[in-house]
Amino acid sequence: MDTQVSNNPLICPLCGEANHCAYAAGKPAKECWCMNLSIPKQLLAQIPDEQRMKSCVCEACVRAFLTEKERQ
């Protein structure tokens, strides 16, 4: 992933798409989609070290991960 993109708090560190993080966009955290969906620790572990705690995973990556886990 491009370093410039990977340093953007509004970009998912896993897929490079918009993460739609309300908090990073300057809105109240309670408005974020992640308040209604648990993000698995196994998915968070896939975030590159240099991106941890700097940008959020997107809802699409969370849902794809959960779907894949259900199939296993």
Side-chain angles (χ1 to χ4, degrees):
M1 183 181 303
D2 181 315
T3 304
Q4 189 173 19
V5 170
S6 67
N7 289 328
N8 186 334
L10 298 174
I11 301 296
C12 175
L14 298 178
C15 70
E17 297 296 323
N19 60 23
H20 303 288
C21 177
Y23 183 75
K27 298 178 184 175
K30 66 182 181 180
E31 292 182 16
C32 197
W33 63 267
C34 70
M35 293 291 131
N36 298 308
L37 183 64
S38 181
I39 303 171
K41 289 182 181 181
Q42 300 95 332
L43 180 63
L44 294 175
Q46 295 178 21
I47 298 172
D49 289 339
E50 65 274 4
Q51 281 308 107
R52 294 215 172 133
M53 306 299 290
K54 293 181 182 171
S55 59
C56 298
V57 174
C58 70
E59 183 176 4
C61 282
V62 174
R63 293 202 182 275
F65 181 85
L66 293 173
T67 299
E68 184 60 34
K69 280 293 189 191
E70 288 176 3
R71 291 181 185 163
Q72 294 178 353

